[in-house]
Amino acid sequence: MKKIRTYLLLLFASTTFIIHAQKAPKIDLTLWKLTIPEGSVTTYKAPKLLDYSENVEITKFMFNDLTDRSLVFYVYPSIKSKRSFNKTDLKEQNSFGGDASWSFKQGAKLKASIKMGDISKKNDQYPRVIFAQIGGRLKEDQVNQIGAKDKSAPSILKVFWDNGYVKLRSKRLADPSITGIDVLKEDSWIDDDGYTFKNKVDFDKFTFQVEISDGKMEVSVNGEKKVYSGGDYKLWNSFDNYFTVGCNLQGDETGAFANVKFYSLDVTH
């Protein structure tokens, strides 16, 4: 009888594992690094990141929702962290385990299926949430050329969920006369006027895509497109870039929180 009970328990555990594996989101995290808003900054990357569902520190902020087969990124302002760390996000890595670096000339494409999950509300307004970015990075010789403190460069694209709408914020040259190595300086670039997609996504699942090519950036939400091109985007070939996705909460009031759900995530170069 004891052997039978043991067998049944093992069978149940095995069946449960298979069911959960079948319901878990099919998102490959091999080429990503996770940052969570705990303390200063805590990061995880493969191979540790691949076992995220078994890590209690990670699952506070990134976890599977088996009811709809999504990967959830959760965040809230922490008294242990600075405002800039109020994010749970994945940063693109290369096949060698280092930070990804690609140029507009080389091209890149990100496609995802996304949905805004639970989010706090204040005075009938939700806080904005950045769910995707294209970060910029200087090359080593460029850092020396302009005397920069580090490799950080402006983000050419930030994508927000804002009270049900998807909004974009890009960069443009502060002055058309800027040329040469001055193009590499952070204060040479300023925010553009922004763009809001006409069709409201609200709390429904939507398809998001950004495709990069030489001098061009094309962003679409459920097929509705916004195309960026021209001289400024040709100049952006000077920078290295990488994708970031997740939940970056743009609010630090007491009790604020948000989560973003990803159902698929694919990057190609």
Side-chain angles (χ1 to χ4, degrees):
M1 182 63 72
K2 186 176 181 180
K3 288 184 178 180
I4 294 175
R5 284 200 301 269
T6 301
Y7 171 77
L8 290 174
L9 286 172
L10 289 172
L11 180 62
F12 175 77
S14 176
T15 303
T16 301
F17 173 80
I18 292 171
I19 291 173
H20 281 202
Q22 290 174 339
K23 290 185 177 181
K26 289 187 176 181
I27 294 178
D28 185 2
L29 299 177
T30 306
L31 297 180
W32 296 93
K33 176 173 70 176
L34 175 71
T35 298
I36 60 175
E38 189 78 348
S40 52
V41 175
T42 304
T43 60
Y44 298 86
K45 58 183 179 180
K48 287 186 178 180
L49 178 58
L50 304 184
D51 294 324
Y52 68 92
S53 61
E54 305 300 322
N55 187 315
V56 293
E57 295 303 316
I58 292 179
T59 53
K60 293 179 189 176
F61 302 101
M62 188 183 82
F63 54 90
N64 296 331
D65 185 342
L66 301 180
T67 63
D68 63 359
R69 206 175 183 182
S70 64
L71 181 62
V72 184
F73 296 87
Y74 175 68
V75 70
Y76 59 91
S78 169
I79 59 172
K80 296 181 181 179
S81 62
K82 299 177 182 179
R83 178 169 181 171
S84 59
F85 300 151
N86 292 334
K87 60 184 179 181
T88 299
D89 61 19
L90 295 171
K91 181 183 290 186
E92 188 185 4
Q93 302 284 281
N94 61 35
S95 57
F96 300 102
D99 292 332
S101 294
W102 46 265
S103 70
F104 268 47
K105 193 170 184 178
Q106 292 170 321
K109 183 178 180 180
L110 181 146
K111 185 175 182 179
S113 179
I114 307 168
K115 178 182 177 181
M116 175 54 66
D118 295 331
I119 183 170
S120 58
K121 195 173 188 180
K122 184 178 181 180
N123 298 327
D124 291 327
Q125 294 289 314
Y126 298 106
R128 293 192 307 168
V129 175
I130 298 174
F131 64 82
Q133 292 189 71
I134 297 178
R137 185 180 289 116
L138 297 171
K139 299 177 178 66
E140 194 66 51
D141 62 327
Q142 293 174 333
V143 173
N144 298 328
Q145 280 181 319
I146 63 174
K149 295 180 180 179
D150 53 39
K151 292 184 178 181
S152 298
S155 295
I156 191 62
L157 180 68
K158 293 183 179 181
V159 189
F160 301 82
W161 182 94
D162 188 351
N163 285 279
Y165 289 92
V166 175
K167 297 184 177 182
L168 307 177
R169 178 75 70 184
S170 187
K171 294 288 184 181
R172 63 177 179 84
L173 276 179
D175 190 317
S177 65
I178 296 173
T179 58
I181 63 170
D182 288 337
V183 169
L184 302 173
K185 296 178 180 179
E186 188 168 356
D187 59 6
S188 293
W189 296 88
I190 59 175
D191 287 340
D192 68 0
D193 294 331
Y195 178 81
T196 302
F197 285 95
K198 294 178 182 179
N199 295 318
K200 193 174 186 179
V201 300
D202 209 26
F203 290 91
D204 297 326
K205 189 189 297 186
F206 63 93
T207 300
F208 169 78
Q209 179 174 294
V210 55
E211 187 166 4
I212 303 299
S213 57
D214 189 2
K216 185 178 179 181
M217 180 168 67
E218 184 176 295
V219 188
S220 65
V221 173
N222 289 338
E224 183 185 348
K225 295 181 180 180
K226 166 64 177 174
V227 178
Y228 297 87
S229 61
D232 290 2
Y233 294 91
K234 280 286 186 182
L235 289 172
W236 204 262
N237 276 329
S238 302
F239 296 100
D240 283 337
N241 303 272
Y242 57 90
F243 288 119
T244 299
V245 298
C247 181
N248 187 335
L249 180 64
Q250 304 295 287
D252 60 355
E253 64 272 8
T254 302
F257 65 88
N259 73 56
V260 178
K261 314 184 92 175
F262 277 71
Y263 297 87
S264 64
L265 176 63
D266 297 289
V267 171
T268 54
H269 295 288

